Amino acid sequence: MEKHAMFTRTCYYHHQLCFAFLFSFLFFTLLLCFHYSSTFNNAATFLLNNNKQLNSITDFCTGRYVYIHELPTRFNYYFLQNCNSLTRGTDTPNMCPYMENLGFGPKIHDTQGLFNNTGSSSSWYATNQFLLEVIFHNKMRKYECLANDSSLANAIFVPYYAGLDVSQFLWVSNITVRDSSGKELLQWLVERDEWKKMWGMDHFLVSGRISWDLRRQFDNESYWGSKFRFLPESMNMSMLAVEASSWKNDYAIPYPTSFHPSSQSEVLQWQSKMRLQKRPYLFTFTGAPRPELDGSIRGAVIEQCLGSSACKFINCSYGSGEKCDDPVSVMKVFSNSVFCLQPPGDSYTRRSIFDSMLAGCVPVFFHPGTAYSQYEWFLPNNRTKYSVYIPVKDVKEWNVNVEKVLMGISQDDAVAMREEVIKLIPNIIYANLESKLDKFEDAFDLAVKGILERVEEVREAMKNGRDPSIGFADEDHYKYTFSDNHS
């Protein structure tokens, strides 16, 4: 009986152990399955999120890829190392200091209080207007959609320092010497596979000098500049320059100013400061007379400015003693003025346009080729929103009183125009290379966007069986003429 009871208790305990073991096994299995399912789901979610991220990157750069040619150094980096050879024809005896900070030039340390309370005192540089191609190249090297494979690129950038190159030879009488570098570059390009894809029509370059310096139309030593842009291969490329010619494959982009912000907040703070700035002068002209230029409006503009108590004239003639090369002095004058006069000088355009707009000064133009026919990617089509236009068809017959015209603009209208100018500041500056302006696009961003759209139009024409060369490099004879559209 005791044995039977013991056997029964043993079986009972064994059943309990078996049941416990079975329950534990099942519970562990369920946990394992749940963990596996969770891990699988997490892995799937991770992969899905990564795919979405990859797709978003792909979507962001679709249509925006740019390939940079690796040119022989004689076409670009040579000039950085031999900057002493670039002094001819510039406003400085030594270009080397302006090569600092990747083309922005030396930092401005003595801001004389002008940039206080803006958070941007470290973002101002003594930038030389001729170094745009260096600045643009360095910004392009940081571009977020660079293509390592040229076959995937939407456009091809040629980092040829065209303006610095030609500046060495502009005063050389031998036209063969003047044209030699450009011919060598084109010979190098046409041998590349990238060129043969669209015969150069997806290629673009940048010049820190005006386009006319590269468009000598006749092989005569008395004519100015090189003929680089009239060489057949060059005519297949687009060029961005501080001033465009009347040919359709040249596009104007802003002159570099001295403000290269590192953040969006710096831009916003500077804009706020310019809105609150007191402006004791009704109008200002900063520049030198051009008595040697027949029909120049500058003499008349200077005469009227000197004859008005409401105008501030800064004489930039050599030996005048004015600090026209000092960015702080220039910005102080512009920021104290409601309107800034911008008559043409040696050419249609001036860096002063962008320096004055940066200071919130409303530009006054006298020729459509100074801005309206130039910077179409950067300035509003409605010119009356941000500027004043006083047409000059014939200087000898010009009897307009500038002060009277400007006094006739109501204070409300002047404030509205200034606000529009201040809103345009991001469009006309070249931000620091490491910066991200978030909701703003700077001049570099807008220039790249413009050229990509231009190339895409050519690509579409080719896809549809049309000849893309038709109209690509034609001259627009009416681009800079006075017309009813500009009066």
Side-chain angles (χ1 to χ4, degrees), residues 299-315:
V301 166
I302 292 172
E303 184 178 349
Q304 288 203 23
C305 185
L306 289 172
S308 170
S309 60
C311 185
K312 176 70 172 177
F313 172 52
I314 303 297
N315 187 353

Side-chain angles (χ1 to χ4, degrees), residues 287-426:
R290 291 290 189 272
E292 71 281 3
L293 296 178
D294 186 35
S296 172
I297 188 64
R298 284 206 178 191
V301 166
I302 292 172
E303 184 178 349
Q304 288 203 23
C305 185
L306 289 172
S308 170
S309 60
C311 185
K312 176 70 172 177
F313 172 52
I314 303 297
N315 187 353
C316 295
S317 299
Y318 181 76
S320 67
E322 299 285 4
K323 297 180 179 179
C324 295
D325 294 334
D326 177 13
V328 177
S329 297
V330 169
M331 291 301 293
K332 275 191 171 182
V333 174
F334 288 151
S335 62
N336 284 329
S337 307
V338 179
F339 299 99
C340 289
L341 308 184
Q342 302 296 349
D346 295 327
S347 65
Y348 292 120
T349 64
R350 312 177 69 211
R351 171 179 170 166
S352 173
I353 299 167
F354 301 102
D355 286 335
S356 64
M357 291 181 69
L358 179 60
C361 190
V362 177
V364 180
F365 298 119
F366 302 88
H367 193 292
T370 303
Y372 305 142
S373 302
Q374 295 281 349
Y375 308 102
E376 297 178 2
W377 296 343
F378 309 89
L379 303 177
N381 291 329
N382 185 352
R383 56 177 175 78
T384 60
K385 289 182 67 175
Y386 74 97
S387 68
V388 176
Y389 182 59
I390 305 176
V392 186
K393 294 184 178 179
D394 189 337
V395 175
K396 294 177 182 177
E397 297 179 1
W398 193 60
N399 56 4
V400 176
N401 186 294
V402 174
E403 180 180 354
K404 191 173 182 180
V405 171
L406 299 180
M407 289 287 286
I409 298 173
S410 71
Q411 184 174 352
D412 288 345
D413 287 343
V415 169
M417 282 190 281
R418 179 161 65 248
E419 177 60 25
E420 190 64 30
V421 168
I422 291 171
K423 286 180 181 177
L424 290 171
I425 287 176

Side-chain angles (χ1 to χ4, degrees), residues 62-74:
T62 297
R64 303 179 66 230
Y65 285 107
V66 176
Y67 176 80
I68 304 178
H69 267 304
E70 287 293 334
L71 301 182
T73 56
R74 68 181 183 276

